[in-house]
mmCIF file of all heavy atoms in Angstrom:
data_model
loop_
_atom_site.group_PDB
_atom_site.id
_atom_site.type_symbol
_atom_site.label_atom_id
_atom_site.label_comp_id
_atom_site.label_asym_id
_atom_site.label_seq_id
_atom_site.Cartn_x
_atom_site.Cartn_y
_atom_site.Cartn_z
ATOM 1 N N ARG A 1 97.017 106.251 93.562
ATOM 2 C CA ARG A 1 98.224 106.606 94.318
ATOM 3 C C ARG A 1 99.499 106.067 93.658
ATOM 4 O O ARG A 1 100.564 106.679 93.724
ATOM 5 C CB ARG A 1 98.127 106.028 95.744
ATOM 6 C CG ARG A 1 96.974 106.577 96.540
ATOM 7 C CD ARG A 1 97.016 106.144 97.998
ATOM 8 N NE ARG A 1 96.966 104.693 98.158
ATOM 9 C CZ ARG A 1 97.922 103.969 98.771
ATOM 10 N NH1 ARG A 1 98.995 104.566 99.238
ATOM 11 N NH2 ARG A 1 97.764 102.653 98.947
ATOM 12 N N PHE A 2 99.412 104.875 93.072
ATOM 13 C CA PHE A 2 100.575 104.204 92.451
ATOM 14 C C PHE A 2 100.438 104.304 90.908
ATOM 15 O O PHE A 2 99.338 104.211 90.385
ATOM 16 C CB PHE A 2 100.650 102.772 92.845
ATOM 17 C CG PHE A 2 101.034 102.517 94.286
ATOM 18 C CD1 PHE A 2 101.045 103.535 95.212
ATOM 19 C CD2 PHE A 2 101.347 101.212 94.709
ATOM 20 C CE1 PHE A 2 101.420 103.249 96.540
ATOM 21 C CE2 PHE A 2 101.732 100.953 96.003
ATOM 22 C CZ PHE A 2 101.744 101.954 96.922
ATOM 23 N N THR A 3 101.599 104.386 90.262
ATOM 24 C CA THR A 3 101.631 104.390 88.811
ATOM 25 C C THR A 3 102.755 103.464 88.347
ATOM 26 O O THR A 3 103.912 103.658 88.736
ATOM 27 C CB THR A 3 101.864 105.815 88.242
ATOM 28 O OG1 THR A 3 100.838 106.685 88.708
ATOM 29 C CG2 THR A 3 101.847 105.763 86.710
ATOM 30 N N ILE A 4 102.422 102.522 87.544
ATOM 31 C CA ILE A 4 103.409 101.612 86.945
ATOM 32 C C ILE A 4 103.727 102.116 85.544
ATOM 33 O O ILE A 4 102.866 102.581 84.823
ATOM 34 C CB ILE A 4 102.880 100.145 86.924
ATOM 35 C CG1 ILE A 4 104.051 99.178 86.519
ATOM 36 C CG2 ILE A 4 101.659 100.004 86.043
ATOM 37 C CD1 ILE A 4 103.642 97.701 86.689
ATOM 38 N N SER A 5 105.016 102.016 85.201
ATOM 39 C CA SER A 5 105.470 102.408 83.872
ATOM 40 C C SER A 5 106.629 101.527 83.472
ATOM 41 O O SER A 5 107.151 100.753 84.290
ATOM 42 C CB SER A 5 105.852 103.876 83.816
ATOM 43 O OG SER A 5 106.926 104.142 84.730
ATOM 44 N N ARG A 6 107.001 101.608 82.200
ATOM 45 C CA ARG A 6 108.100 100.793 81.709
ATOM 46 C C ARG A 6 108.894 101.540 80.694
ATOM 47 O O ARG A 6 108.399 102.409 79.974
ATOM 48 C CB ARG A 6 107.557 99.452 81.137
ATOM 49 C CG ARG A 6 106.688 99.637 79.920
ATOM 50 C CD ARG A 6 105.970 98.340 79.575
ATOM 51 N NE ARG A 6 106.934 97.266 79.247
ATOM 52 C CZ ARG A 6 106.657 95.959 79.258
ATOM 53 N NH1 ARG A 6 105.407 95.580 79.586
ATOM 54 N NH2 ARG A 6 107.543 95.091 78.914
ATOM 55 N N ASP A 7 110.167 101.152 80.599
ATOM 56 C CA ASP A 7 111.064 101.655 79.581
ATOM 57 C C ASP A 7 111.679 100.424 78.850
ATOM 58 O O ASP A 7 112.607 99.805 79.410
ATOM 59 C CB ASP A 7 112.164 102.517 80.187
ATOM 60 C CG ASP A 7 113.059 103.176 79.153
ATOM 61 O OD1 ASP A 7 113.138 102.651 78.038
ATOM 62 O OD2 ASP A 7 113.672 104.202 79.484
ATOM 63 N N ASN A 8 111.135 100.078 77.743
ATOM 64 C CA ASN A 8 111.571 98.873 77.071
ATOM 65 C C ASN A 8 113.023 98.985 76.597
ATOM 66 O O ASN A 8 113.707 97.949 76.489
ATOM 67 C CB ASN A 8 110.679 98.560 75.873
ATOM 68 C CG ASN A 8 109.305 98.081 76.313
ATOM 69 O OD1 ASN A 8 109.130 97.605 77.460
ATOM 70 N ND2 ASN A 8 108.305 98.246 75.466
ATOM 71 N N ALA A 9 113.468 100.184 76.284
ATOM 72 C CA ALA A 9 114.850 100.356 75.834
ATOM 73 C C ALA A 9 115.822 100.016 76.996
ATOM 74 O O ALA A 9 116.977 99.632 76.765
ATOM 75 C CB ALA A 9 115.112 101.758 75.357
ATOM 76 N N LYS A 10 115.413 100.197 78.220
ATOM 77 C CA LYS A 10 116.241 99.912 79.357
ATOM 78 C C LYS A 10 115.867 98.629 80.092
ATOM 79 O O LYS A 10 116.475 98.342 81.122
ATOM 80 C CB LYS A 10 116.157 101.095 80.355
ATOM 81 C CG LYS A 10 116.683 102.411 79.807
ATOM 82 C CD LYS A 10 116.597 103.475 80.858
ATOM 83 C CE LYS A 10 117.177 104.827 80.329
ATOM 84 N NZ LYS A 10 117.111 105.892 81.344
ATOM 85 N N ASN A 11 114.904 97.881 79.547
ATOM 86 C CA ASN A 11 114.438 96.644 80.182
ATOM 87 C C ASN A 11 114.110 96.904 81.666
ATOM 88 O O ASN A 11 114.503 96.111 82.551
ATOM 89 C CB ASN A 11 115.498 95.548 80.091
ATOM 90 C CG ASN A 11 115.506 94.895 78.711
ATOM 91 O OD1 ASN A 11 114.874 95.406 77.808
ATOM 92 N ND2 ASN A 11 116.206 93.810 78.606
ATOM 93 N N THR A 12 113.439 97.995 81.903
ATOM 94 C CA THR A 12 113.162 98.419 83.312
ATOM 95 C C THR A 12 111.672 98.752 83.469
ATOM 96 O O THR A 12 111.063 99.369 82.580
ATOM 97 C CB THR A 12 114.024 99.643 83.658
ATOM 98 O OG1 THR A 12 115.413 99.267 83.553
ATOM 99 C CG2 THR A 12 113.775 100.083 85.103
ATOM 100 N N VAL A 13 111.189 98.346 84.600
ATOM 101 C CA VAL A 13 109.809 98.700 84.968
ATOM 102 C C VAL A 13 109.864 99.500 86.264
ATOM 103 O O VAL A 13 110.709 99.193 87.129
ATOM 104 C CB VAL A 13 108.898 97.465 85.107
ATOM 105 C CG1 VAL A 13 109.404 96.471 86.136
ATOM 106 C CG2 VAL A 13 107.448 97.828 85.351
ATOM 107 N N TYR A 14 108.955 100.476 86.410
ATOM 108 C CA TYR A 14 108.989 101.392 87.536
ATOM 109 C C TYR A 14 107.643 101.313 88.279
ATOM 110 O O TYR A 14 106.609 100.966 87.695
ATOM 111 C CB TYR A 14 109.229 102.834 87.056
ATOM 112 C CG TYR A 14 110.462 103.017 86.236
ATOM 113 C CD1 TYR A 14 110.430 103.022 84.861
ATOM 114 C CD2 TYR A 14 111.696 103.182 86.876
ATOM 115 C CE1 TYR A 14 111.536 103.208 84.085
ATOM 116 C CE2 TYR A 14 112.842 103.370 86.117
ATOM 117 C CZ TYR A 14 112.781 103.380 84.719
ATOM 118 O OH TYR A 14 113.933 103.549 84.007
ATOM 119 N N LEU A 15 107.696 101.729 89.550
ATOM 120 C CA LEU A 15 106.469 101.902 90.277
ATOM 121 C C LEU A 15 106.598 103.207 91.090
ATOM 122 O O LEU A 15 107.413 103.286 92.009
ATOM 123 C CB LEU A 15 106.226 100.710 91.248
ATOM 124 C CG LEU A 15 104.909 100.776 91.971
ATOM 125 C CD1 LEU A 15 103.726 100.561 90.980
ATOM 126 C CD2 LEU A 15 104.822 99.691 93.048
ATOM 127 N N GLN A 16 105.852 104.215 90.668
ATOM 128 C CA GLN A 16 105.816 105.450 91.403
ATOM 129 C C GLN A 16 104.734 105.345 92.431
ATOM 130 O O GLN A 16 103.575 105.083 92.116
ATOM 131 C CB GLN A 16 105.479 106.614 90.444
ATOM 132 C CG GLN A 16 105.372 107.944 91.129
ATOM 133 C CD GLN A 16 106.673 108.465 91.739
ATOM 134 O OE1 GLN A 16 107.713 108.346 91.118
ATOM 135 N NE2 GLN A 16 106.597 108.979 92.980
ATOM 136 N N MET A 17 105.141 105.540 93.712
ATOM 137 C CA MET A 17 104.197 105.401 94.800
ATOM 138 C C MET A 17 104.063 106.735 95.531
ATOM 139 O O MET A 17 105.023 107.227 96.087
ATOM 140 C CB MET A 17 104.682 104.309 95.775
ATOM 141 C CG MET A 17 104.976 102.973 95.074
ATOM 142 S SD MET A 17 105.387 101.666 96.272
ATOM 143 C CE MET A 17 106.875 102.314 96.991
ATOM 144 N N ASN A 18 102.856 107.270 95.530
ATOM 145 C CA ASN A 18 102.570 108.514 96.167
ATOM 146 C C ASN A 18 101.565 108.325 97.321
ATOM 147 O O ASN A 18 100.910 107.295 97.333
ATOM 148 C CB ASN A 18 102.021 109.547 95.154
ATOM 149 C CG ASN A 18 102.978 109.838 94.048
ATOM 150 O OD1 ASN A 18 104.199 109.825 94.237
ATOM 151 N ND2 ASN A 18 102.443 110.156 92.857
ATOM 152 N N SER A 19 101.457 109.305 98.162
ATOM 153 C CA SER A 19 100.499 109.240 99.278
ATOM 154 C C SER A 19 100.566 107.879 100.006
ATOM 155 O O SER A 19 99.584 107.239 100.269
ATOM 156 C CB SER A 19 99.089 109.444 98.766
ATOM 157 O OG SER A 19 98.966 110.676 98.075
ATOM 158 N N LEU A 20 101.828 107.543 100.337
ATOM 159 C CA LEU A 20 102.021 106.224 100.946
ATOM 160 C C LEU A 20 101.350 106.153 102.329
ATOM 161 O O LEU A 20 101.276 107.114 103.098
ATOM 162 C CB LEU A 20 103.524 105.937 101.069
ATOM 163 C CG LEU A 20 104.116 105.485 99.700
ATOM 164 C CD1 LEU A 20 105.663 105.704 99.758
ATOM 165 C CD2 LEU A 20 103.808 104.029 99.460
ATOM 166 N N LYS A 21 100.899 104.917 102.622
ATOM 167 C CA LYS A 21 100.204 104.634 103.885
ATOM 168 C C LYS A 21 100.973 103.563 104.653
ATOM 169 O O LYS A 21 101.745 102.774 104.037
ATOM 170 C CB LYS A 21 98.800 104.207 103.616
ATOM 171 C CG LYS A 21 97.965 105.158 102.815
ATOM 172 C CD LYS A 21 96.606 104.603 102.540
ATOM 173 C CE LYS A 21 95.764 105.547 101.713
ATOM 174 N NZ LYS A 21 94.391 104.990 101.411
ATOM 175 N N ALA A 22 100.731 103.446 105.889
ATOM 176 C CA ALA A 22 101.409 102.413 106.725
ATOM 177 C C ALA A 22 101.102 101.019 106.124
ATOM 178 O O ALA A 22 101.997 100.151 106.130
ATOM 179 C CB ALA A 22 100.923 102.462 108.159
ATOM 180 N N GLU A 23 99.926 100.845 105.601
ATOM 181 C CA GLU A 23 99.577 99.514 105.060
ATOM 182 C C GLU A 23 100.286 99.184 103.730
ATOM 183 O O GLU A 23 100.134 98.058 103.225
ATOM 184 C CB GLU A 23 98.048 99.402 104.902
ATOM 185 C CG GLU A 23 97.398 100.500 104.140
ATOM 186 C CD GLU A 23 96.827 101.565 105.076
ATOM 187 O OE1 GLU A 23 97.493 101.923 106.071
ATOM 188 O OE2 GLU A 23 95.692 102.034 104.791
ATOM 189 N N ASP A 24 101.015 100.134 103.194
ATOM 190 C CA ASP A 24 101.865 99.832 102.020
ATOM 191 C C ASP A 24 103.183 99.229 102.400
ATOM 192 O O ASP A 24 103.953 98.849 101.511
ATOM 193 C CB ASP A 24 102.073 101.116 101.208
ATOM 194 C CG ASP A 24 100.796 101.690 100.652
ATOM 195 O OD1 ASP A 24 99.958 100.949 100.166
ATOM 196 O OD2 ASP A 24 100.642 102.957 100.694
ATOM 197 N N THR A 25 103.468 99.172 103.656
ATOM 198 C CA THR A 25 104.738 98.566 104.127
ATOM 199 C C THR A 25 104.795 97.116 103.714
ATOM 200 O O THR A 25 103.914 96.306 103.992
ATOM 201 C CB THR A 25 104.845 98.686 105.679
ATOM 202 O OG1 THR A 25 104.945 100.069 106.022
ATOM 203 C CG2 THR A 25 106.052 97.933 106.191
ATOM 204 N N ALA A 26 105.879 96.779 102.994
ATOM 205 C CA ALA A 26 106.029 95.423 102.453
ATOM 206 C C ALA A 26 107.387 95.364 101.707
ATOM 207 O O ALA A 26 108.025 96.368 101.491
ATOM 208 C CB ALA A 26 104.935 95.100 101.490
ATOM 209 N N VAL A 27 107.732 94.155 101.345
ATOM 210 C CA VAL A 27 108.811 93.958 100.365
ATOM 211 C C VAL A 27 108.157 93.912 98.997
ATOM 212 O O VAL A 27 107.213 93.171 98.781
ATOM 213 C CB VAL A 27 109.599 92.700 100.629
ATOM 214 C CG1 VAL A 27 110.731 92.504 99.601
ATOM 215 C CG2 VAL A 27 110.187 92.687 102.054
ATOM 216 N N TYR A 28 108.698 94.722 98.102
ATOM 217 C CA TYR A 28 108.155 94.831 96.766
ATOM 218 C C TYR A 28 109.048 94.111 95.767
ATOM 219 O O TYR A 28 110.246 94.223 95.799
ATOM 220 C CB TYR A 28 107.990 96.317 96.368
ATOM 221 C CG TYR A 28 106.875 97.031 97.063
ATOM 222 C CD1 TYR A 28 106.883 97.286 98.391
ATOM 223 C CD2 TYR A 28 105.733 97.326 96.325
ATOM 224 C CE1 TYR A 28 105.830 97.922 99.035
ATOM 225 C CE2 TYR A 28 104.645 97.952 96.958
ATOM 226 C CZ TYR A 28 104.691 98.224 98.292
ATOM 227 O OH TYR A 28 103.634 98.851 98.900
ATOM 228 N N TYR A 29 108.392 93.373 94.853
ATOM 229 C CA TYR A 29 109.073 92.571 93.853
ATOM 230 C C TYR A 29 108.501 92.852 92.501
ATOM 231 O O TYR A 29 107.330 93.197 92.368
ATOM 232 C CB TYR A 29 108.829 91.075 94.149
ATOM 233 C CG TYR A 29 109.268 90.579 95.493
ATOM 234 C CD1 TYR A 29 108.398 90.626 96.567
ATOM 235 C CD2 TYR A 29 110.530 90.010 95.690
ATOM 236 C CE1 TYR A 29 108.749 90.125 97.821
ATOM 237 C CE2 TYR A 29 110.897 89.504 96.932
ATOM 238 C CZ TYR A 29 109.994 89.579 97.993
ATOM 239 O OH TYR A 29 110.345 89.079 99.217
ATOM 240 N N CYS A 30 109.331 92.660 91.498
ATOM 241 C CA CYS A 30 108.777 92.655 90.116
ATOM 242 C C CYS A 30 108.911 91.251 89.546
ATOM 243 O O CYS A 30 109.705 90.437 89.995
ATOM 244 C CB CYS A 30 109.497 93.668 89.238
ATOM 245 S SG CYS A 30 111.121 93.261 88.778
ATOM 246 N N ASN A 31 108.077 91.005 88.585
ATOM 247 C CA ASN A 31 108.106 89.696 87.887
ATOM 248 C C ASN A 31 107.194 89.830 86.691
ATOM 249 O O ASN A 31 106.610 90.902 86.404
ATOM 250 C CB ASN A 31 107.630 88.590 88.833
ATOM 251 C CG ASN A 31 108.206 87.264 88.506
ATOM 252 O OD1 ASN A 31 108.228 86.866 87.376
ATOM 253 N ND2 ASN A 31 108.647 86.541 89.537
ATOM 254 N N LEU A 32 106.980 88.781 85.951
ATOM 255 C CA LEU A 32 105.997 88.792 84.899
ATOM 256 C C LEU A 32 104.627 89.112 85.498
ATOM 257 O O LEU A 32 104.294 88.682 86.579
ATOM 258 C CB LEU A 32 105.966 87.456 84.156
ATOM 259 C CG LEU A 32 107.252 87.022 83.484
ATOM 260 C CD1 LEU A 32 107.058 85.687 82.790
ATOM 261 C CD2 LEU A 32 107.770 88.023 82.512
ATOM 262 N N GLY A 33 103.831 89.799 84.711
ATOM 263 C CA GLY A 33 102.503 90.163 85.192
ATOM 264 C C GLY A 33 101.533 89.008 85.228
ATOM 265 O O GLY A 33 100.541 89.049 85.931
ATOM 266 N N TYR A 34 101.796 88.009 84.456
ATOM 267 C CA TYR A 34 101.015 86.747 84.477
ATOM 268 C C TYR A 34 102.012 85.596 84.636
ATOM 269 O O TYR A 34 103.087 85.654 84.095
ATOM 270 C CB TYR A 34 100.240 86.580 83.142
ATOM 271 C CG TYR A 34 99.212 87.652 82.922
ATOM 272 C CD1 TYR A 34 99.490 88.716 82.029
ATOM 273 C CD2 TYR A 34 97.983 87.618 83.538
ATOM 274 C CE1 TYR A 34 98.562 89.701 81.776
ATOM 275 C CE2 TYR A 34 97.015 88.636 83.283
ATOM 276 C CZ TYR A 34 97.296 89.635 82.417
ATOM 277 O OH TYR A 34 96.393 90.625 82.193
ATOM 278 N N SER A 35 101.652 84.584 85.312
ATOM 279 C CA SER A 35 102.519 83.414 85.518
ATOM 280 C C SER A 35 103.924 83.843 85.849
ATOM 281 O O SER A 35 104.880 83.608 85.076
ATOM 282 C CB SER A 35 102.505 82.546 84.251
ATOM 283 O OG SER A 35 101.202 82.158 83.916
ATOM 284 N N PRO A 36 104.149 84.416 87.021
ATOM 285 C CA PRO A 36 105.499 84.880 87.376
ATOM 286 C C PRO A 36 106.489 83.734 87.454
ATOM 287 O O PRO A 36 106.144 82.589 87.732
ATOM 288 C CB PRO A 36 105.278 85.505 88.751
ATOM 289 C CG PRO A 36 104.002 84.938 89.278
ATOM 290 C CD PRO A 36 103.160 84.684 88.099
ATOM 291 N N TYR A 37 107.723 84.095 87.157
ATOM 292 C CA TYR A 37 108.795 83.134 87.257
ATOM 293 C C TYR A 37 108.925 82.648 88.733
ATOM 294 O O TYR A 37 108.669 83.378 89.671
ATOM 295 C CB TYR A 37 110.133 83.799 86.900
ATOM 296 C CG TYR A 37 110.278 84.110 85.429
ATOM 297 C CD1 TYR A 37 110.379 85.466 85.057
ATOM 298 C CD2 TYR A 37 110.272 83.174 84.434
ATOM 299 C CE1 TYR A 37 110.490 85.799 83.701
ATOM 300 C CE2 TYR A 37 110.427 83.460 83.139
ATOM 301 C CZ TYR A 37 110.517 84.812 82.770
ATOM 302 O OH TYR A 37 110.654 85.157 81.448
ATOM 303 N N ASP A 38 109.413 81.420 88.887
ATOM 304 C CA ASP A 38 109.619 80.906 90.226
ATOM 305 C C ASP A 38 110.781 81.622 90.930
ATOM 306 O O ASP A 38 110.774 81.743 92.163
ATOM 307 C CB ASP A 38 109.935 79.393 90.169
ATOM 308 C CG ASP A 38 108.688 78.597 89.768
ATOM 309 O OD1 ASP A 38 107.586 79.102 89.966
ATOM 310 O OD2 ASP A 38 108.878 77.475 89.275
#
């Protein structure tokens, strides 16, 4: 349902979310994929 992608030229990461469900309700954050910044 979800697809993550990135554009290194724009320093941007995306999350395409399809077929959303009530349980997807949340605040969404980006960070490093390992050992996120504080």
